Amino acid sequence: MDLFGSSLSNGAIGAPAWSELPAEARSALTILMTRLILDHAATTATPRAKEADHDL
C-alpha cells in the first residue's frame, strides 16, 4: 500500500496530491495518523499467553 504515492488510482477525485499540501498540514496529518495507528495497535493487541498450569 502506498499512502503517499502520486497515483490517483484510489478514486479520490479532486483531492490534492500529498506534495501539494502545505508543510503544516502534512505534519499535522502525519502526527494524527501515527497517533491513530498506535492507539489502534494498543487496543487490539493480543494479550500475552498465560503459562499453562501444571497442577493436576
Side-chain angles (χ1 to χ4, degrees):
M1 175 173 16
D2 185 9
L3 295 176
F4 307 113
S6 60
S7 71
L8 294 176
S9 63
N10 61 2
I13 298 172
W18 180 255
S19 59
E20 294 174 358
L21 292 174
E24 294 153 344
R26 290 191 311 251
S27 177
L29 286 169
T30 301
I31 290 168
L32 290 171
M33 288 302 296
T34 301
R35 187 179 306 158
L36 177 69
I37 292 167
L38 292 175
D39 288 350
H40 177 71
T43 59
T44 59
T46 18
R48 295 181 123 182
K50 294 183 179 180
E51 189 173 324
D53 190 9
H54 298 289
D55 293 339
L56 295 176

